[in-house]
Amino acid sequence: MADQKMDQVRNFCIIAHIDHGKSTLADRLLEKTGVYQKREMVEQILDSMELERERGITIKSKAVRMLYKAGDGKEYVLNLIDTPGHVDFTYEVSRALAACEGALLVVDSTQGVEAQTLANVYMALEHNLEILPIINKIDLPSARPDEVRSEIEEVIGLPADEAPLISAKAGIGIDEVLEQIVRAVPAPQGDPDAPLQALIFDSFYDNYRGAICFVRIVSGTVRAGMTIRMMNSGARFEVVEVGARSPDYEPLAELRAGDVGYIAASIKDIHDTRVGDTITDDANPAAEPLPGYRAVVPMVFCGIYPADGAQYENLKDALEKLQLNDASLTYDPETSQALGYGFRCGFLGLLHMEIIQQRLEREFDLDLITTAPSVIYRVHKTDGTMEEVDNPSNLPGPASIDYMEEPYVSVSVHTPQEYVGALMEVCQGKRGEFKDMVYEGQHVCLHYDIPLSEIIFDFFDQVKSRSRGYASYDYELTGYRKSDLVKLDMLLNGDMCDALSMIVHKDRAYARGRSIAEKLKDVIPRQLFEIPIQAAIGGKVIARETVKAMRKDVLAKCYGGDITRKRKLLEKQKEGKKRMRQLGSVEVPSEAFMTVLKMDE
Amino acid sequence: MEKGSVYIHVPFCVQKCAYCDFYSLAGMSDSMAGYVDALCREIWMQAARFGEIRAETVYIGGGTPSLLEGKDISRILSVLRECMELSPACEITMEGNPGTLREAALEEYRKAGVNRFSLGVQSFSDCLLRTLGRIHTAAQAAEAVRMLRRAGFSNVNLDIMYGLPGQTESSFLETVGTALTMSPEHLSCYSLIPEEGTEMGRRVFSGEVQLPQEEVLLRMEEEMRGLLKQNGYERYEVSNYALAGKECRHNLVYWECEPYLGLGPGAHSDFGGRRFSHPANLRGWMQAINKKELFEEPEDDGSPEKRRFDRMMMGLRMVRGVDLNRFVRDFGRRPEEIWPDTVREMRRLSMIRDELGSTRSVELSNLSTDEETMPNDQNAATSELDPTRSDRMQSPGPDKEERLALTEKGMDVMNAWLVRMMEEEEKG
């Protein structure tokens, strides 16, 4: 490997719309190059997490090295870098793309170009990647490869006359794909003798070896025994091993400029291996880190509580374990009057939040109650100090607040022209501030500044539904802006329920209060007494609904002496109530806490 | 000698009604003779097993017992008398479907000893009768009542249903009014409960039909109760009303959790300190009995926790509520000591009747105690659940009946309370 000439290395990724066959193609490439024997193949090797496989999305990126003897008789090293596929992980995707020279663009020949295809293409183009269109699923009866070929040319503007027609599933055309990678993806460049610059595009925690970094060597060479330095964090480590996955970890003598591989350096804390950081040689450091580093910070927070209070310790252990592998997840203990002991958790975005919740529930078998997500608000107090608040319950009293600020993001929405109007409405409805609109062939890119708190509600769903799935977006935190915010409280039977409080823009408070009260009225079952549900700002009630008292709940006939059956019916009723939380005098089902999330104002 | 009531299950019907989830078989009349033989055999077997049994009530239910011939009933009852001691005032009830009554048979039933007849009328609307899958018309039901009277039955119950799909308030009240013109001694008015596994359940759960709204149901009940009260029918259980002294003693056995022995396939027993049942399987039961084997399975572990809960679950169905003296005697503690939160909450929401201690509006000659001996009812009532005055409650006179009862409002939501009790007990 060390002798492998740089011009015999190809670093590439695969981009595709969901379900267009990205993972299947990856499997075929691995199989064809002998990384996996066919019979050993578990389908879709790269998406190894159960959740990923189920949702058909890649959450964490990974890199696999393949050896391929090309038609020209030379043996090439092909590094396939898999990329995560969701807006929450935009930054991780951008680092993975920065590690490549080329991208395979998989398009389903029965579906054609779709929204996500475009968003991915835009990102790949931003990183100056050579894009190779590939037309997949040609074995299906409804395939229309010629149409799709011209669609790629017209809609995306990429020449597609050489696009291989393949079926990843049936293994058709895979050789041609490999040949094209060799032919069309540029070989990496870089000076192996220059000071070391290695871009971390992924990292994960191994119980035995500590945090392991996946890197692209941009310049220089790294080998075991060297002392390396993380240029942005400053942390130093001694390299224990370098190598590449193929698919197991295979140690190599060194990684040189142009190579993709891993570095193990007994790193205890995954936070020292931040994606985007540059690794250099401590003895002979590079003049500057590679561009584009961004500390990934959680932007969305919510309370996570065990449905059964006795599970608190288990939840804590589970979060600890997940954090080992996920530097962007944060958690701190918090207490809620309504929900007891739990954790305030920070996430990159809503999908990240959902993934963590689901992993907690599945992998750790926990039953959770999740509160509405919040962003970090800046509260400037009358005494001149500033507090950051990510939990509405911690908001200081109105008298001590001078003014508040909320985070804004710059959002780019990519869409076919026909949905521009609808999407502008969505953005405006989210308190968005129009920046500009750029025409890109058949497509338009809308730029808006929007409060992050609006994005985390149902922006994703709205963008998708108003564009029939064709539009996509990404966003970047731009900073804080002064905003007229209030704390909206919900009262159940007169008692404030802290877990349902939220910070909202004053203009939205009434509508949201009204809507939450209505939703709660629907999810809270009738109980033995009437329950007023009130939405209040400060001491002022702005909306009210009532759950009427239950008036009939009786098994009418009771003959024949079958008493056991009556008891069983009651027991069933009791079990049905297990997912209820007792808030003061009121029983509230767990899902009530999530309903405040699902807005449709 | 074991004291107890006897229930006999007759699992035959002409046709299965749409709402029925009791064990019954349609089109099996060929098996009836074999059934009667086996039943008589089982009576012998059970009597041998439990020694002498003294029965205060006998209930022949179903299914459709009126499909049996007079001689069958006569034989069953004479075997019962041979094997057990039926008390002189023994209430012997038999159920019947108006579409199956024959005057001659009725007379034979009565001569055999049946002294109470329960007629499944359900409705006096032909349209609703069809909805329910009943085999008779309203006119047949009216004629059946006349037949019963002619045959000499002076203690008759009519079963009436409400809350039926398509039933209006006025249509139900018309049925109640029609029933009243027949002057039955007893009325069972129960609301339709769609059960899984029944045709009606399927229709309701699939949304094919809709049941009347809760408000309509509540109005139906209110009007019905008013009407019945005016005519001298006192409500004594969730869905049962009777003229003074005509309460169904057999059903009171269930609600008071007194022992009963169930015979026939699908019958349930609480006898000899255990709950057990016969599987709902006619063939299996007949084969077992003919081999002189018992055909039964235990129903639960019979723990005191279950027993005391059952006592509440059944007892609170009665207007007069749960006998507290007996409760304390059997379980060592009062309900408010076992389920303090629930009982306190019931009280807070006025779901426990305030005139406790004097709630024996139901006076059964054989069950009630001497009310006049209790002084100052009002005082006793308010102290009932007040722990600060517990000295008075804990030492009720030996002959003083003390009961825990629900108000009308409380009875309407009885299940919710029972579930709360279960939850409270689970939390410890």
Side-chain angles (χ1 to χ4, degrees):
Chain A
M1 164 81 202
D3 295 323
Q4 200 81 47
K5 289 191 188 97
M6 205 186 297
D7 63 7
Q8 275 160 251
V9 174
R10 297 292 182 269
N11 300 320
F12 69 99
C13 58
I14 307 177
I15 55 183
H17 185 80
I18 189 162
D19 285 341
H20 278 203
K22 169 172 147 174
S23 299
T24 316
L25 176 58
D27 289 348
R28 285 298 160 267
L29 296 177
L30 296 176
E31 192 186 291
K32 202 85 192 174
T33 55
V35 171
Y36 280 100
Q37 296 303 314
K38 198 165 191 172
R39 60 192 145 79
E40 294 173 18
M41 294 261 309
V42 179
E43 241 189 88
Q44 303 187 353
I45 286 149
L46 287 175
D47 289 353
S48 53
M49 275 163 64
E50 184 194 347
L51 207 66
E52 293 187 4
R53 212 172 288 174
E54 197 170 292
R55 297 185 141 208
I57 51 170
T58 313
I59 297 164
K60 293 281 280 177
S61 53
K62 288 169 205 78
V64 183
R65 176 170 167 268
M66 297 171 270
L67 294 178
Y68 174 64
K69 188 147 189 201
D72 61 9
K74 288 186 231 168
E75 187 172 68
Y76 288 82
V77 172
L78 308 184
N79 289 308
L80 166 58
I81 297 170
D82 204 14
T83 57
H86 186 272
V87 63
D88 285 356
F89 302 99
T90 306
Y91 180 67
E92 278 83 347
V93 176
S94 79
R95 294 308 84 196
L97 295 181
C100 304
E101 277 79 31
L104 309 185
L105 171 66
V106 182
V107 181
D108 184 332
S109 61
T110 66
Q111 305 286 323
V113 172
E114 291 197 53
Q116 212 183 330
T117 320
L118 286 163
N120 288 320
V121 168
Y122 293 126
M123 275 189 91
L125 287 173
E126 269 172 44
H127 289 87
N128 295 316
L129 300 191
E130 184 65 34
I131 299 176
L132 278 56
I134 286 167
I135 297 170
N136 192 19
K137 305 196 187 179
I138 55 151
D139 57 326
L140 296 183
S142 55
R144 38 183 184 92
D146 292 333
E147 260 174 69
V148 169
R149 196 191 294 275
S150 42
E151 221 175 279
I152 294 173
E153 291 184 341
E154 281 159 28
V155 178
I156 309 182
L158 284 173
D161 46 326
E162 284 183 32
L165 302 179
I166 70 159
S167 165
K169 197 156 197 177
I172 302 167
I174 306 303
D175 287 314
E176 206 190 330
V177 173
L178 287 163
E179 281 301 318
Q180 279 219 3
I181 292 170
V182 168
R183 214 164 47 230
V185 173
Q189 293 177 336
D191 180 359
D193 300 319
L196 176 66
Q197 281 181 311
L199 170 70
I200 304 178
F201 63 83
D202 191 11
S203 66
F204 87 102
Y205 192 83
D206 178 290
N207 284 335
Y208 302 103
R209 296 188 290 177
I212 292 180
C213 311
F214 279 90
V215 294
R216 159 69 191 271
I217 313 293
V218 176
S219 64
T221 302
V222 63
R223 55 180 72 85
M226 264 170 76
T227 300
I228 51 167
R229 190 204 303 169
M230 306 296 173
M231 294 190 80
N232 287 291
S233 78
R236 288 175 175 79
F237 303 96
E238 194 186 310
V239 177
V240 176
E241 183 181 303
V242 302
R245 276 186 66 189
S246 191
D248 299 321
Y249 292 87
E250 289 179 7
L252 295 169
E254 58 181 25
L255 293 175
R256 296 152 54 93
D259 284 340
V260 167
Y262 68 87
I263 298 176
S266 300
I267 302 169
K268 297 275 173 296
D269 185 350
I270 196 147
H271 295 86
D272 284 324
T273 59
R274 293 280 192 176
V275 168
D277 204 344
T278 305
I279 295 176
T280 193
D281 180 358
D282 191 49
N284 177 25
E288 51 186 35
L290 295 163
Y293 173 71
R294 209 168 80 193
V296 175
V297 288
M299 297 210 275
V300 176
F301 294 81
C302 77
I304 295 188
Y305 292 81
D308 171 3
Q311 295 280 309
Y312 175 81
E313 284 299 323
N314 300 8
L315 173 58
K316 189 177 163 202
D317 291 347
L319 284 167
E320 234 166 61
K321 288 204 179 98
L322 286 184
Q323 201 193 34
L324 276 180
N325 240 323
D326 187 346
S328 43
L329 166 70
T330 64
Y331 66 95
D332 291 297
E334 75 168 5
T335 321
S336 151
Q337 281 171 359
L339 303 176
Y341 294 100
F343 295 93
R344 196 75 191 164
C345 300
F347 309 94
L348 295 175
L350 271 197
L351 178 79
H352 188 212
M353 179 172 120
E354 272 176 45
I355 288 166
I356 296 291
Q357 277 169 22
Q358 292 197 12
R359 290 189 65 187
L360 287 170
E361 292 189 336
R362 283 191 205 174
E363 293 170 33
F364 298 92
D365 198 23
L366 292 164
D367 227 347
L368 303 176
I369 296 181
T370 314
T371 65
S374 169
V375 299
I376 301 181
Y377 295 96
R378 287 187 181 159
V379 182
H380 295 266
K381 302 209 278 186
T382 45
D383 62 5
T385 59
M386 189 272 281
E387 243 180 67
E388 290 198 332
V389 172
D390 63 28
N391 181 346
S393 302
N394 299 339
L395 193 69
S400 61
I401 298 176
D402 182 9
Y403 65 95
M404 284 169 69
E405 291 180 306
E406 66 176 322
Y408 267 70
V409 289
S410 151
V411 181
S412 311
V413 183
H414 298 272
T415 176
Q417 278 187 29
E418 49 190 308
Y419 305 113
V420 166
L423 290 170
M424 286 178 87
E425 252 173 53
V426 171
C427 291
Q428 240 111 38
K430 292 284 179 188
R431 293 192 280 138
E433 193 177 282
F434 178 74
K435 296 267 286 298
D436 60 17
M437 177 157 62
V438 180
Y439 285 85
E440 294 158 338
Q442 300 290 306
H443 288 257
V444 176
C445 183
L446 288 166
H447 294 282
Y448 271 86
D449 281 344
I450 301 181
L452 177 61
S453 63
E454 298 283 351
I455 299 286
I456 65 172
F457 271 101
D458 55 355
F459 190 69
F460 180 84
D461 294 340
Q462 285 205 28
V463 166
K464 291 295 172 193
S465 71
R466 298 294 294 276
S467 67
R468 291 203 258 139
Y470 275 91
S472 68
Y473 66 96
D474 55 63
Y475 60 84
E476 207 176 347
L477 193 64
T478 50
Y480 276 77
R481 286 200 203 175
K482 202 167 159 176
S483 188
D484 203 356
L485 300 165
V486 292
K487 179 170 168 242
L488 177 67
D489 293 317
M490 301 304 299
L491 287 79
L492 300 180
N493 204 21
D495 296 326
M496 211 251 286
C497 176
D498 60 358
L500 291 171
S501 293
M502 54 184 4
I503 294 170
V504 291
H505 192 267
K506 203 174 170 188
D507 296 348
R508 295 304 165 83
Y510 177 75
R512 195 155 284 173
R514 165 101 262 138
S515 150
I516 294 173
E518 281 167 9
K519 292 243 159 93
L520 286 174
K521 185 192 168 200
D522 292 340
V523 297
I524 296 178
R526 297 202 300 167
Q527 286 161 46
L528 288 158
F529 44 86
E530 188 174 286
I531 305 162
I533 300 171
Q534 294 161 300
I537 298 171
K540 204 167 134 198
V541 173
I542 56 165
R544 184 191 159 106
E545 289 284 336
T546 307
V547 178
K548 291 224 179 82
M550 175 205 301
R551 290 176 64 194
K552 262 202 95 58
D553 183 13
V554 55
L555 299 171
K557 65 185 161 172
C558 199
Y559 302 111
D562 189 357
I563 287 169
T564 314
R565 178 155 172 264
K566 309 291 167 205
R567 203 200 297 124
K568 280 188 182 138
L569 285 172
L570 293 172
E571 254 152 26
K572 207 166 132 195
Q573 210 169 320
K574 184 194 71 179
E575 289 311 309
K577 283 176 73 182
K578 276 275 166 70
R579 282 194 64 87
M580 305 268 255
R581 273 274 158 158
Q582 186 82 33
L583 301 190
S585 50
V586 183
E587 281 166 345
V588 181
S590 305
E591 54 286 11
F593 301 96
M594 281 307 275
T595 58
V596 291
L597 242 178
K598 315 245 184 278
M599 286 296 128
D600 43 25
E601 286 162 23
Chain B
M1 170 156 73
E2 292 271 353
K3 255 184 82 169
S5 289
V6 173
Y7 174 76
I8 291 170
H9 192 72
V10 183
F12 303 101
C13 280
V14 172
Q15 174 185 305
K16 188 90 185 160
C17 300
Y19 56 88
C20 175
D21 73 332
F22 286 127
Y23 176 54
S24 71
L25 304 160
M28 294 281 287
S29 48
D30 291 354
S31 303
M32 272 173 5
Y35 161 83
V36 174
D37 286 344
L39 183 70
C40 293
R41 222 178 263 252
E42 187 181 17
I43 296 170
W44 282 105
M45 279 165 60
Q46 297 288 9
R49 177 187 182 197
F50 288 105
E52 202 172 339
I53 298 172
R54 183 185 158 90
E56 298 285 346
T57 71
V58 173
Y59 197 101
I60 305 170
T64 309
S66 54
L67 285 175
L68 295 179
E69 299 297 333
K71 63 174 171 39
D72 295 328
I73 293 293
S74 169
R75 184 174 158 212
I76 292 165
L77 288 176
S78 62
V79 173
L80 263 184
R81 283 200 180 84
E82 267 172 62
C83 300
M84 301 178 188
E85 187 190 334
L86 300 195
S87 76
C90 189
E91 174 193 274
I92 302 176
T93 307
M94 181 178 161
E95 288 181 344
N97 183 313
T100 63
L101 298 197
R102 294 143 298 167
E103 203 143 356
L106 287 179
E107 219 150 304
E108 286 178 85
Y109 300 152
R110 193 184 53 76
K111 282 181 185 147
V114 176
N115 53 24
R116 186 173 181 273
F117 204 96
S118 177
L119 190 67
V121 169
Q122 317 312 353
S123 174
F124 284 109
S125 148
D126 284 337
C127 169
L128 287 174
L129 286 171
R130 276 193 297 274
T131 305
L132 293 172
R134 299 290 296 178
I135 56 165
H136 57 89
T137 61
Q140 269 176 295
E143 177 53 25
V145 178
R146 285 189 287 272
M147 275 163 66
L148 283 167
R149 295 301 190 200
R150 284 197 297 269
F153 284 99
S154 58
N155 194 357
V156 171
N157 166 62
L158 305 184
D159 274 353
I160 301 289
M161 290 175 92
Y162 62 96
L164 307 176
Q167 188 182 38
T168 60
E169 195 185 332
S170 65
S171 133
F172 171 56
L173 293 175
E174 206 180 305
T175 285
V176 175
T178 309
L180 285 172
T181 60
M182 296 167 188
S183 308
E185 284 66 34
H186 190 285
L187 278 162
S188 287
C189 298
Y190 50 96
S191 69
L192 171 71
I193 306 285
E195 304 278 1
E196 299 208 23
T198 64
E199 168 61 15
M200 185 61 78
R202 189 196 61 72
R203 282 185 225 159
V204 172
F205 300 134
S206 70
E208 194 182 307
V209 300
Q210 258 157 17
L211 301 182
Q213 301 276 306
E214 189 189 77
E215 300 87 80
V216 179
L217 220 58
L218 286 163
R219 268 206 316 275
M220 286 178 173
E221 285 178 350
E222 199 187 327
E223 291 301 321
M224 174 255 295
R225 282 174 200 157
L227 217 53
L228 295 189
K229 202 174 174 71
Q230 273 186 336
N231 286 278
Y233 296 86
E234 209 50 66
R235 184 188 192 195
Y236 70 103
E237 192 261 356
V238 170
S239 34
N240 283 283
Y241 303 79
L243 296 177
K246 298 291 185 184
E247 295 81 9
C248 173
R249 279 158 46 204
H250 184 83
N251 280 335
L252 283 166
V253 164
Y254 297 143
W255 299 322
E256 290 285 4
C257 295
E258 307 269 14
Y260 55 92
L261 180 64
L263 306 169
H268 296 261
S269 300
D270 179 3
F271 207 71
R274 289 189 317 121
R275 285 196 190 289
F276 52 92
S277 61
H278 294 330
N281 175 351
L282 176 64
R283 286 256 162 276
W285 171 80
M286 273 169 45
Q287 279 163 11
I289 295 296
N290 290 335
K291 280 188 278 177
K292 296 199 164 57
E293 283 167 15
L294 291 172
F295 187 63
E296 64 183 39
E297 47 193 28
E299 291 214 311
D300 61 41
D301 58 8
S303 68
E305 288 76 18
K306 286 210 170 69
R307 288 266 161 195
R308 69 192 186 193
F309 180 81
D310 289 349
R311 191 73 67 81
M312 297 294 278
M313 178 175 82
M314 301 306 285
L316 291 177
R317 298 186 65 89
M318 293 180 289
V319 170
R320 68 182 182 193
V322 175
D323 178 345
L324 286 180
N325 294 340
R326 189 172 149 234
F327 190 94
V328 172
R329 211 181 317 125
D330 291 348
F331 306 115
R333 286 190 293 164
R334 299 170 64 88
E336 60 267 39
E337 293 170 309
I338 299 169
W339 304 284
D341 294 352
T342 310
V343 176
R344 194 180 314 118
E345 187 69 1
M346 285 162 113
R347 178 155 216 61
R348 187 179 75 79
L349 295 171
S350 312
M351 298 225 183
I352 287 181
R353 271 230 308 280
D354 266 339
E355 64 277 27
L356 273 174
S358 66
T359 57
R360 279 154 300 137
S361 50
V362 177
E363 285 182 61
L364 301 168
S365 46
N366 62 331
L367 283 170
S368 74
T369 54
D370 188 2
E371 193 171 339
E372 276 62 50
T373 59
M374 189 156 63
N376 200 355
D377 280 353
Q378 205 50 48
N379 195 16
T382 46
S383 72
E384 185 58 40
L385 290 163
D386 181 353
T388 60
R389 299 169 73 175
S390 59
D391 52 337
R392 192 186 176 319
M393 324 186 311
Q394 275 167 10
S395 52
D399 57 346
K400 195 176 299 164
E401 195 176 40
E402 207 191 354
R403 289 186 165 262
L404 177 70
L406 293 175
T407 58
E408 224 168 72
K409 227 169 85 186
M411 283 171 81
D412 280 348
V413 289
M414 210 179 80
N415 280 355
W417 289 119
L418 293 168
V419 170
R420 290 270 293 253
M421 282 166 47
M422 280 182 163
E423 289 172 326
E424 185 172 353
E425 199 161 350
E426 194 174 69
K427 276 183 217 140

